[in-house]
Amino acid sequence: MKKLILTIILAVAAVSAYAADEVKNDTIPVNNSQIVKIVEDESVNSKGNKTTKFYFLYNGELIQASRHVVESYNLCKKHDAKCRLAVVVNKKTNRKRIILN
C-alpha cells in the first residue's frame, strides 16, 4: 500500500514538473523605463523599394517592433500615459519582437 501511494505521488510530481517545464513564458512584460531609444532603419529591398524597420533599444539589445507599436508608444509617451508592451520570444528561433500587450 505504501509503495502504491509513493508511486502515485512520484507520478503526479513528475507530471507537474514536466508541465511546468513545458509552459515557459514566451511573452515577457516590458519595463518602459528601460527603453533607451527607438531606432528607424531605412533600407532598400530586392525590388528597389524603400523599407523602414523599427527597433527598440531595450536592455542593451535591439528588438524589432512594428510601425504601429512605435506610433502607439510615442503617443502614450506624448500624453504621459502608460504603454503596455511585451517582448514575444519565438521558442524555435529565439527571435524577439515587441508587441502591444
Side-chain angles (χ1 to χ4, degrees), residues 23-93:
V23 185
K24 289 184 179 176
N25 281 346
D26 59 349
T27 304
I28 306 160
V30 169
N31 183 355
N32 289 347
S33 64
Q34 293 183 351
I35 294 176
V36 177
K37 184 178 181 180
I38 297 172
V39 178
E40 294 182 25
D41 180 38
E42 293 184 5
S43 61
V44 178
N45 64 11
S46 61
K47 295 181 180 179
N49 299 330
K50 290 184 179 180
T51 61
T52 304
K53 291 188 178 183
F54 296 91
Y55 300 92
F56 282 97
L57 185 57
Y58 178 72
N59 278 344
E61 59 183 314
L62 283 175
I63 302 177
Q64 191 170 5
S66 68
R67 178 186 305 266
H68 176 70
V69 171
V70 171
E71 289 173 352
S72 298
Y73 174 76
N74 287 333
L75 184 64
C76 289
K77 196 172 175 183
K78 178 181 174 183
H79 296 287
D80 294 326
K82 291 183 180 179
C83 189
R84 295 184 57 201
L85 301 175
V87 175
V88 177
V89 180
N90 186 327
K91 289 182 180 179
K92 291 181 182 177
T93 62

